[in-house]
Amino acid sequence: MVNQKLEGGHMNVVTRDAAGIVVKEYLFQERHPIDPKIRFQRERSALVHFGGTLAPALIGVSELTTHQTFIEGKRAEELAEDGDESIFEESGQLLRKIHTPVNRLHQYLRDFFEKRVTFAYGKARPILDHIGIHAVDFNVNWDEVYAL
């Protein structure tokens, strides 16, 4: 059996292999501002935390690809089109459960912070140069941050 392309996935390629496993590839998209590596890390983290309960179970990963269980049923978009208005409330409840603090990978937090600092410094540099500040140093105790 050839991999069956599944609907949805938007900017990712989502297929179902001969064994019934969903294979999701995270590809670069010009129209999407978030790097596929970041999208992949976020999905992997969500599947680790919520897989098997609120989301498909994570079977494995390889580079920018997740392998997860297939859940039989209609997509949320189809339920809404069919007039099932309860999907909106259920989606809201699901989002409230998902958008709670989770322990992020330490390197992800550090990389995210350093990118933001670099970006902000680039924007503020003309002003800092004008007032005579030529370097900004952030001393972050990463051990303490990771303990939170």
Side-chain angles (χ1 to χ4, degrees):
M1 176 179 160
V2 177
N3 282 5
Q4 170 192 7
K5 185 165 174 48
L6 300 176
E7 289 187 40
H10 309 290
M11 69 220 56
N12 306 311
V13 175
V14 183
T15 57
R16 187 173 175 198
D17 70 11
I21 295 171
V22 174
V23 179
K24 194 170 187 181
E25 298 176 70
Y26 297 79
L27 305 174
F28 172 77
Q29 294 286 328
E30 275 189 35
R31 68 178 192 264
H32 199 282
I34 300 176
D35 184 294
K37 291 177 188 173
I38 300 292
R39 294 193 332 261
F40 169 76
Q41 288 174 340
R42 288 177 179 171
E43 175 104 3
R44 184 184 65 201
S45 177
L47 290 173
V48 165
H49 286 87
F50 301 110
T53 56
L54 299 176
L58 179 65
I59 295 169
V61 296
S62 59
E63 294 198 30
L64 294 179
T65 304
T66 60
H67 303 265
Q68 46 194 283
T69 57
F70 178 74
I71 298 176
E72 193 71 47
K74 289 185 172 183
R75 295 180 301 123
E77 295 91 345
E78 291 175 297
L79 293 172
E81 288 170 2
D82 291 346
D84 182 356
E85 294 185 12
S86 68
I87 191 66
F88 299 113
E89 181 154 344
E90 290 172 21
S91 297
Q93 291 172 353
L94 179 63
L95 287 171
R96 278 189 290 283
K97 289 179 182 178
I98 291 171
H99 291 284
T100 57
V102 294
N103 294 329
R104 300 246 183 226
L105 301 173
H106 295 169
Q107 192 59 45
Y108 173 82
L109 289 173
R110 190 173 191 160
D111 291 347
F112 182 79
F113 176 79
E114 289 172 355
K115 284 179 188 176
R116 294 291 184 194
V117 167
T118 301
F119 176 79
Y121 180 71
K123 292 288 187 181
R125 187 171 185 159
I127 296 168
L128 295 173
D129 286 345
H130 180 73
I131 60 175
I133 299 174
H134 301 292
V136 177
D137 185 28
F138 286 94
N139 292 316
V140 177
N141 182 343
W142 288 106
D143 291 331
E144 190 172 324
V145 171
Y146 297 153
L148 297 175

